Amino acid sequence: MKRFTVIGAGLAGVEAAWQLAQAGQQVTLVEMKPLRFSPAHKSENFAELVCSNSLKAERLESAAGLLKAEMELLGSLTVPTARQCAVPAGGALAVDRELFSRGVTEKIKNHPDIKIENRVYEKIEPEEDEIIIIATGPLTDGALSGEISRLCGSSLSFYDAAAPIVTADSIDKSVVFGASRYDRGGEADYLNCPFNKAEYESFINELVNAEGAIVHDFDVYEGCMPIEKLAKRGADAPRFGPMKPVGLTDPRTGHRPWACVQLRRENSEGTMFNLVGFQTNLKFGEQKRVFSMIPGLENAEFVRYGVMHRNSFINSPEVLNPDYSLKSDPRVFFAGQITGVEGYMESAGSGILAGINALRRAENREPLVLPRETMLGALTAYISDESVKDFQPMGANFGILPPIEPKIRDKKERYKALAERAVTQLKAAVESNG
């Protein structure tokens, strides 16, 4: 009989432990609190929310709502607990953070098949009959981060310096053109947003005066310059840097643009593109306002905004199987933000799948890999897609789901159809996999 050890009692860890315990397995949940706290954590309780009391939208036709619906279908612990602690917040699921963490902690501690060990876990050495799930979160450090680097071939990042990502369908193709500089490479990999001089000057003026996000001491990142900081060095600095137009010709004018933002294909399907070199510390609302001034992105749908903060995560496409197990040692699973999913519920959802698949591996059964048409399946596919270049974390969004054909032009109706398709396919997958 296999033994199961889950490291970390955040949202991913408690969901993984819950899945295993609910299936009748004995689980040891190792948590370093209260012996040691990360810079962001204060409470001794499990599943501590440190950034916001909102778990995002509830309605099914939203990405966040669909994600939670899928998690409930798979037997989530955190979603029903959140609803028990909900506070009024319009269409969002907002919770009393203290009550939420306390509620999760009580359910975990009262489960007869979960044993809690409060200690600092430092060595990843599964015994022959043991399966380990690492769910230690985005602030993993110390000896354990060294162990993860050892297991993952040094592919552990400590900071998330990611540019915004937009959906391909929302880009104005009458303005934006496909080309690599000096015609090196195909037209499908890069799209180009050309500026004339007046457009560029207006954009830079708004960029340097936009409001930045508050940065905590443990978030400070010096390894990459935000685009707004570069612009403050001089109005021409960006167009001699990431916005350089050299090697490009705007087919509308037949001339080189004054400046240019390049968009790079984010996934193998080409449904998402990121803004190359646009790492930023601007507030999300400011990113939407200012970056929508880029020619061709006036109506862009942002599925992820740029961030620059402390965030330990592994290069999952290189080191993880689609069941969240390690390619080099399938007795070790990863779950949560350390895998490159971003967001509280996304982390919890990955914990559910890691727990399910740890048990299936112990029983020598085929892993549960959900259809890409589901939100959980699409997130899993993204973090295990070897074609993704410069892997950066991703949260739930409709841009990662395969499109519905023929295309539904009304966004609300399109999202509703995507959500209904996802729920139908998830139910079928669960039924067929037992």
Side-chain angles (χ1 to χ4, degrees), residues 22-54:
Q22 289 290 86
Q25 303 299 310
Q26 297 290 315
V27 185
T28 299
L29 178 60
V30 180
E31 169 57 46
M32 70 178 186
K33 297 189 302 185
L35 302 178
R36 181 188 296 177
F37 289 83
S38 81
H41 292 86
K42 302 289 185 286
S43 170
E44 294 185 8
N45 288 325
F46 303 155
E48 182 181 357
L49 305 180
V50 300
C51 297
S52 169
N53 68 344
S54 174

Side-chain angles (χ1 to χ4, degrees), residues 140-429:
T140 301
D141 60 8
L144 185 56
S145 69
E147 278 290 281
I148 294 171
S149 290
R150 176 182 65 82
L151 280 175
C152 297
S154 300
S155 61
L156 175 66
S157 299
F158 292 100
Y159 286 92
D160 186 0
I165 296 172
V166 298
T167 61
D169 284 346
S170 66
I171 299 168
D172 186 350
K173 300 297 187 358
S174 69
V175 175
V176 175
F177 62 95
S180 295
R181 287 192 173 90
Y182 303 107
D183 295 323
R184 295 170 182 164
E187 293 186 359
D189 291 337
Y190 287 93
L191 299 178
N192 301 276
C193 305
F195 286 80
N196 61 35
K197 185 177 180 181
E199 290 168 337
Y200 177 79
E201 290 175 348
S202 294
F203 173 74
I204 293 298
N205 180 65
E206 293 302 317
L207 180 63
V208 298
N209 289 297
E211 187 176 359
I214 296 173
V215 179
H216 300 285
D217 290 342
F218 58 84
D219 273 342
V220 175
Y221 179 48
E222 300 294 344
C224 186
M225 184 178 295
I227 185 66
E228 65 273 15
K229 184 175 180 180
L230 177 63
K232 289 176 181 177
R233 289 188 167 184
D236 284 329
R239 76 184 193 94
F240 284 97
M243 295 180 67
K244 61 181 180 291
V246 295
L248 296 170
T249 300
D250 184 348
R252 296 179 304 165
T253 66
H255 300 291
R256 186 174 78 179
W258 182 257
C260 191
V261 172
Q262 282 205 308
L263 311 178
R264 183 173 59 216
R265 178 194 286 253
E266 180 66 22
N267 59 350
S268 56
E269 296 82 8
T271 59
M272 299 182 293
F273 283 78
N274 73 66
L275 281 63
V276 178
F278 268 61
Q279 295 82 5
T280 176
N281 275 322
L282 295 182
K283 287 185 173 182
F284 289 175
E286 290 290 78
Q287 290 185 46
K288 171 67 174 174
R289 180 181 68 83
V290 177
F291 297 155
S292 293
M293 296 177 66
I294 297 172
L297 300 189
E298 292 85 356
N299 298 305
E301 179 184 5
F302 289 80
V303 298
R304 173 186 170 131
Y305 289 106
V307 291
M308 298 182 71
H309 60 182
R310 177 76 165 85
N311 185 13
S312 298
F313 64 96
I314 58 177
N315 186 4
S316 292
E318 184 177 300
V319 302
L320 289 189
N321 293 309
D323 65 352
Y324 289 87
S325 67
L326 198 60
K327 291 178 180 178
S328 61
D329 188 345
R331 297 172 299 170
V332 178
F333 285 72
F334 283 83
Q337 284 191 228
I338 200 164
T339 67
V341 297
E342 184 165 85
Y344 284 127
M345 288 291 96
E346 290 86 343
S347 297
S350 73
I352 292 173
L353 293 177
I356 290 172
N357 281 314
L359 177 57
R360 294 176 79 93
R361 183 170 293 278
E363 296 175 340
N364 294 314
R365 300 169 66 195
E366 288 295 312
L368 176 64
V369 179
L370 298 177
R372 297 187 71 147
E373 289 79 8
T374 66
M375 189 59 69
L376 283 169
L379 282 169
T380 300
Y382 176 79
I383 69 163
S384 57
D385 183 354
E386 295 182 356
S387 73
V388 173
K389 302 172 184 177
D390 186 28
F391 177 69
Q392 293 288 342
M394 177 68 69
N397 68 84
F398 283 116
I400 60 176
L401 299 183
I404 284 181
E405 298 295 343
K407 181 180 177 181
I408 302 172
R409 300 199 65 84
D410 181 81
K411 186 164 72 170
K412 184 177 179 180
E413 290 300 314
R414 182 167 73 249
Y415 286 176
K416 180 182 178 182
L418 288 168
E420 290 174 347
R421 180 185 69 176
V423 170
T424 299
Q425 295 223 10
L426 179 61
K427 288 178 178 178

